[in-house]
Amino acid sequence: MESLRNLLRALYMVLGGLMVFSGIFWALQGLGIIMWPAESFMLADRAWTLYGSIWAAIGAGLIWVLRGSRR
């Protein structure tokens, strides 16, 4: 049972890291700093800066909660 708990914890940590990475990427696309891919609908759209920041914060919160729940 403990190994399953550790596996799920690791998977959620990876998920949190991916959320942080993708959120920062979305925010930078929304700011027009990253202009790739050229046909993306997110480029220089300030709404995606907000969405990306929120998504990255949720991912960081997930990582923070999981790091504190060691047993």
Side-chain angles (χ1 to χ4, degrees):
M1 191 60 146
E2 188 66 30
S3 63
L4 177 62
R5 182 184 308 241
N6 289 337
L7 175 65
L8 288 174
R9 188 169 172 273
L11 288 174
Y12 282 129
M13 291 283 279
V14 169
L15 177 65
L18 290 172
M19 289 172 68
V20 169
F21 175 77
S22 63
I24 292 171
F25 187 78
W26 293 351
L28 292 175
Q29 278 187 320
L31 289 171
I33 295 172
I34 296 177
M35 298 299 281
W36 178 84
E39 60 275 350
S40 177
F41 59 90
M42 295 188 226
L43 300 178
D45 183 352
R46 296 292 175 155
W48 284 101
T49 304
L50 176 64
Y51 302 152
S53 299
I54 291 170
W55 190 248
I58 292 170
L62 180 62
I63 292 170
W64 182 68
V65 166
L66 289 171
R67 285 183 54 92
S69 66
R70 292 184 182 162
R71 289 183 181 183

